[in-house]
Amino acid sequence: MLDEGSTLLRRMEICIAEAEKRSGKTAMSMQETFTVYLVETRLTDAVAEGRSPAPNFLWRRYSEFELLRSYLMVTYPYVVVPPLPEKRAEFVWHKLSADNMDPDFVERRRVGLENFLLRVALHPVLSDDKILHHFLTEEHGWKEVVYETGFQAKADSRLRALNATFRVRNPDKRFLEMKHYSDQLQSNTSQLLRARARVADGLYGVYKVHGNYGRVFSEWSAIEKEMGDGLQSAGHHMDAYAASIDDILEEEEHYADQIKEYLSYSEALRAVCRKHELTQFELEMSSQDLVSKKQQREELATGIVRTFSLKGMTNKLFGQEAPEQREARLRLLEELIAEGEETVREKTAEWREHVEKACVEMQRFKEQTDRDLREALISYAVMQIGMCKKGVQVWSNARECFLKM
């Protein structure tokens, strides 16, 4: 359930009205077919004032949504940025097309992209971003505005993040718990989706068996004239029941997509944890480097070497440095220590800000997850119960037909 609060959704209506297939040439002059999505926005402030402004329309490709999300992840590393719908169909039952140009898949992706925009526009931090507003209102030139922010240069490499994961000395228990929560979320949702796909395959087979029953009863009615009406009616009930499976499984896909969203959310949550590990690792390395320089200054000032070093061994073999050299090294160390202290202060401030904001964000995300998944699973269970009741009703109707024969 989306709660607009004081976010962008209070000022603007956002929807993706339709999807359209187009053809064009790539940068390598190769022909390609792609899908574009019509983003429609309307300012609700003007509507509240009694004016009726025309809605704003613009077309966006999936890759443009990817660019927007990449920018948001780099710019707001403490935010669990909403995921995009899947680029290729996953966890599908065997009768469902995995073609990304399939009309049903394109429609589900349209719904998913609209949900992504609504979640971003609903977020208390992301909804105020100027680039997001450009994305929604400026069809041309918004990419240039994104690249001018220089966000790509700020992106952390996965190798650096992996290195930090294994080398950070004092991991924060809160973020360790959040990584565990993310792993559980991914495991549980993926297992649920696999089970649902298997059940859908079995369910499809059961319904199609009823189609066979309907055909048998219809053929039988042509042979047995006295029982013909009853058999024909029973066959019609079976045929209608068998035909309803397509609509049922299409509705199931809607609930499956909601669960897939949180499967993708688990990776967004881990990205926040990786950023914390990287920030903490950089702080630890800066602090360690500062301690090392201060120790070098003390050793140089007192002439007492506490740890083994190549420089200390050289001094023992070839004598001490000249006073001028020693003073120059001391001055250099003082400058380096001052720079190191400033770096540590900056890294500490960055680390503290990320921890504070990420903890608030993760609590908000947990509450959202519990609320959304509970709602989706309850709706799915209600749908299953209704489907079972319909099956009971079909066989009750068939029994009545048989009793009348």
Side-chain angles (χ1 to χ4, degrees):
M1 179 102 180
L2 295 176
D3 180 11
E4 295 180 9
S6 60
T7 58
L8 182 61
L9 285 183
R10 285 187 65 86
R11 309 188 302 273
M12 180 183 289
E13 295 176 356
I14 303 170
C15 75
I16 297 183
E18 61 179 282
E20 183 179 291
K21 188 183 294 186
R22 292 183 182 177
S23 296
K25 290 188 176 182
T26 66
M28 303 294 292
S29 297
M30 297 180 65
Q31 194 72 18
E32 66 169 343
T33 302
F34 54 90
T35 305
V36 291
Y37 301 88
L38 184 62
V39 180
E40 178 182 339
T41 56
R42 184 196 298 269
L43 294 175
T44 54
D45 293 345
V47 175
E49 293 171 1
R51 293 182 287 120
S52 182
N56 184 59
F57 297 98
L58 49 84
W59 294 95
R60 294 282 185 235
R61 292 186 61 173
Y62 185 87
S63 58
E64 293 179 273
F65 285 88
E66 289 181 311
L67 177 59
L68 173 64
R69 186 171 186 272
S70 297
Y71 160 79
L72 293 174
M73 289 186 68
V74 173
T75 308
Y76 306 97
Y78 54 86
V79 170
V80 184
V81 178
L84 294 171
E86 57 191 353
K87 200 165 188 176
R88 296 285 185 276
E90 297 179 0
F91 300 104
V92 296
W93 55 287
H94 77 282
K95 290 291 183 182
L96 195 68
S97 173
D99 180 9
N100 65 340
M101 288 296 176
D102 179 76
D104 291 335
F105 175 77
V106 171
E107 171 59 20
R108 292 200 310 276
R109 187 197 274 181
R110 182 198 66 77
V111 173
L113 291 173
E114 179 176 292
N115 185 62
F116 164 76
L117 289 180
L118 292 176
R119 286 204 184 277
V120 172
L122 176 70
H123 195 279
V125 175
L126 302 181
S127 61
D128 289 330
D129 188 85
K130 292 182 180 179
I131 298 298
L132 171 64
H133 192 269
H134 276 284
F135 178 88
L136 294 171
T137 59
E138 304 293 335
E139 183 161 13
H140 304 290
W142 88 272
K143 285 186 181 180
E144 288 74 10
V145 176
V146 176
Y147 290 127
E148 284 173 5
T149 64
F151 82 96
Q152 292 172 305
K154 303 174 189 175
D156 300 317
S157 73
R158 296 300 291 266
L159 183 60
R160 284 181 62 209
L162 184 65
N163 183 45
T165 299
F166 289 105
R167 294 183 62 186
V168 67
R169 294 181 177 181
N170 300 304
D172 192 311
K173 290 183 179 180
R174 293 169 295 182
F175 285 86
L176 289 177
E177 290 173 359
M178 192 52 59
K179 285 178 71 176
H180 179 63
Y181 175 83
S182 172
D183 292 340
Q184 281 190 319
L185 180 62
Q186 182 185 39
S187 175
N188 293 339
T189 50
S190 60
Q191 288 177 17
L192 181 59
L193 287 166
R194 288 191 188 95
R196 181 261 160 187
R198 290 196 298 269
V199 169
D201 280 330
L203 195 63
Y204 184 83
V206 169
Y207 271 69
K208 290 309 175 184
V209 166
H210 284 74
N212 294 335
Y213 289 154
R215 185 168 59 255
V216 169
F217 290 153
S218 295
E219 292 174 356
W220 193 3
S221 69
I223 299 172
E224 300 287 347
K225 300 297 183 182
E226 294 182 0
M227 301 186 296
D229 291 343
L231 290 171
Q232 189 73 28
S233 297
H236 287 326
H237 287 304
M238 295 297 168
D239 288 338
Y241 187 60
S244 66
I245 185 59
D246 294 321
D247 291 337
I248 290 172
L249 291 181
E250 185 62 35
E251 185 179 355
E252 273 199 17
E253 284 301 318
H254 168 70
Y255 297 116
D257 287 340
Q258 293 180 4
I259 298 171
K260 287 178 183 178
E261 180 185 22
Y262 278 92
L263 177 63
S264 302
Y265 254 127
S266 63
E267 176 57 29
L269 186 56
R270 276 196 292 270
V272 175
C273 296
R274 284 196 299 268
K275 180 62 179 180
H276 165 73
E277 290 169 341
L278 184 58
T279 305
Q280 183 165 342
F281 176 69
E282 290 176 347
L283 173 59
E284 290 178 356
M285 291 298 99
S286 298
S287 300
Q288 182 179 333
D289 184 58
L290 179 60
V291 169
S292 175
K293 284 183 171 58
K294 286 182 177 180
Q295 184 176 328
Q296 291 177 38
R297 181 184 62 181
E298 182 182 351
E299 291 174 352
L300 190 60
T302 61
I304 301 173
V305 180
R306 296 182 180 181
T307 58
F308 173 80
S309 68
L310 182 61
K311 188 67 177 176
M313 183 61 70
T314 303
N315 288 341
K316 287 183 179 180
L317 291 173
F318 301 105
Q320 295 289 334
E321 295 176 313
E324 294 81 4
Q325 292 177 310
R326 197 160 138 274
E327 287 298 326
R329 284 191 63 208
L330 275 172
R331 284 195 300 272
L332 178 60
L333 279 172
E334 290 291 351
E335 293 174 2
L336 293 175
I337 288 171
E339 292 176 2
E341 288 174 340
E342 180 62 25
T343 299
V344 169
R345 280 194 294 271
E346 291 174 356
K347 294 294 182 183
T348 301
E350 181 185 355
W351 171 85
R352 186 175 289 114
E353 180 186 23
H354 186 272
V355 168
E356 291 174 356
K357 291 183 176 180
C359 286
V360 172
E361 171 68 11
M362 289 189 291
Q363 182 59 37
R364 186 199 66 82
F365 173 73
K366 274 188 171 183
E367 294 171 358
Q368 172 191 306
T369 303
D370 293 343
R371 181 176 63 251
D372 289 353
L373 287 181
R374 184 186 300 113
E375 182 178 322
L377 292 174
I378 288 175
S379 298
Y380 179 74
V382 169
M383 188 205 75
Q384 292 289 326
I385 293 171
M387 182 179 64
C388 293
K389 287 181 177 179
K390 185 176 180 180
V392 171
Q393 186 61 48
V394 165
W395 279 102
S396 297
N397 293 338
R399 183 183 62 180
E400 292 296 325
C401 295
F402 296 149
L403 291 174
K404 291 177 181 178
M405 288 190 296

